[in-house]
């Protein structure tokens, strides 16, 4: 079964949603899915170096109090899921393009899914600026990849075209928010759904890809 996850590495609901998908997969131990990460940039016009977290939240939510309200909802949800989260450690909101490239680069070594997990943890638990190429190479080194070689690849246009193409495809498909999970290129489940919501779609794993149907939540 092919499961494609359209998400952004700086999206807290994508972080929560990924954990919930993993929990659902644990309930189907006989399933051997092929998991593919598909990039979607929530802020495609973000400056290359990112921006101050406070400035970003003020621009996105119209002020600190509104941002704090939204953060409380995210933090409460993550806590109920037993998911570590430390939003107060985040000092900058990064441009996530290079992080998406790194997931693709790691995928060449069979580490794409592990890299997505590592980047989520680096950003949401440790407050790492995952727009910084040295920081990204350090995360890769933690998974056994060579720091210098990863840093070199990030200084080139490695996987840039594929990230642009996948992001463009998501928008052509009508995706305006993430996470969105597509099963066998036939059914899509949007939002950070509870694990039980994934199970009926996981049970369709033997079906062949046809036309896409979207299940919203």
């Amino acid at each position: 079964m092919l499961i494609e996850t359209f998400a952004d590495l700086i999206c807290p609901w994508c972080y929560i949603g990924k954990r919930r998908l993993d929990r659902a997969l644990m309930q189907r131990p006989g399933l051997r899915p092929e998991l593919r990460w598909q990039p979607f940039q929530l802020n495609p016009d973000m400056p290359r170096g990112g921006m101050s977290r406070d400035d970003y939240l003020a621009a996105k939510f119209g002020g600190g109090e509104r941002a704090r309200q939204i953060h409380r909802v995210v933090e409460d949800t993550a806590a109920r899921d037993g998911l570590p989260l430390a939003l107060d450690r985040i000092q900058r909101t990064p441009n996530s393009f290079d992080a998406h490239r790194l997931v693709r680069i790691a995928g060449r070594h069979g580490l794409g899914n592990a890299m997505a997990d590592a980047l989520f943890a680096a950003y949401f638990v440790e407050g790492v600026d995952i727009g910084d190429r040295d920081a990204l190479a350090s995360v890769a080194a933690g998974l056994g990849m060579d720091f210098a070689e990863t840093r070199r690849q990030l200084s080139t246009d490695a996987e840039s075209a594929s990230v642009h193409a996948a992001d463009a495809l998501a928008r052509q498909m009508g995706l305006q928010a993430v996470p969105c999970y597509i099963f066998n290129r036939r059914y899509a489940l949007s939002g950070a759904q509870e694990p039980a919501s994934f199970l009926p779609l996981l049970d369709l794993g033997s079906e062949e890809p046809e036309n896409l149907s979207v299940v919203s939540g």
Side-chain angles (χ1 to χ4, degrees), residues 132-145:
D132 179 85
R133 290 174 177 173
D134 286 337
L136 289 172
S138 292
V139 173
L143 292 180
M145 296 172 62

Side-chain angles (χ1 to χ4, degrees), residues 17-135:
K18 187 176 188 307
R19 171 62 67 89
R20 290 177 171 181
L21 172 59
D22 290 343
R23 286 167 54 198
L25 288 170
M26 291 176 64
Q27 298 182 50
R28 294 295 184 268
L31 191 64
R32 295 293 181 267
E34 178 185 354
L35 303 175
R36 290 186 193 170
W37 183 268
Q38 299 290 9
F40 185 93
Q41 283 192 280
L42 290 170
N43 306 302
D45 298 322
M46 176 69 69
R48 168 70 186 79
M51 64 188 299
S52 159
R53 182 71 170 173
D54 289 341
D55 291 344
Y56 173 76
L57 293 176
K60 187 174 181 67
F61 300 117
E65 181 54 36
R66 176 59 178 157
R68 283 189 288 273
Q69 292 173 358
I70 293 172
H71 278 181
R72 281 194 290 272
V73 173
V74 172
E75 289 166 346
D76 289 347
T77 303
R80 286 196 300 272
D81 281 33
L83 194 62
L85 190 69
L87 296 178
D88 58 316
R89 293 187 178 181
I90 300 173
Q91 300 300 310
R92 295 189 67 76
T93 297
N95 181 312
S96 60
F97 185 76
D98 282 344
H100 286 299
R101 291 172 59 214
L102 180 57
V103 173
R104 293 272 172 137
I105 292 168
R108 301 173 187 171
H109 307 281
L111 295 172
N113 195 50
M115 181 60 73
D117 278 331
L119 290 170
F120 274 133
Y123 185 62
F124 286 111
V125 180
E126 301 172 24
V128 173
D129 180 358
I130 60 170
D132 179 85
R133 290 174 177 173
D134 286 337

Side-chain angles (χ1 to χ4, degrees), residues 134-211:
D134 286 337
L136 289 172
S138 292
V139 173
L143 292 180
M145 296 172 62
D146 183 80
F147 177 95
E149 175 58 20
T150 302
R151 183 63 179 81
R152 184 196 68 78
Q153 291 188 60
L154 289 171
S155 69
T156 71
D157 63 355
E159 298 295 342
S160 292
S162 67
V163 171
H164 280 306
D167 190 281
L169 174 62
R171 298 176 199 279
Q172 291 169 10
M173 291 166 53
L175 267 64
Q176 297 180 346
V178 285
C180 182
Y181 307 90
I182 299 181
F183 300 79
N184 277 350
R185 295 186 173 170
R186 183 173 184 182
Y187 298 105
L189 183 67
S190 63
Q193 301 287 334
E194 294 289 343
S197 298
F198 290 98
L199 298 180
L201 295 174
L202 295 179
D203 292 337
L204 297 173
S206 61
E207 295 191 7
E208 293 297 322
E210 294 180 11
N211 294 326

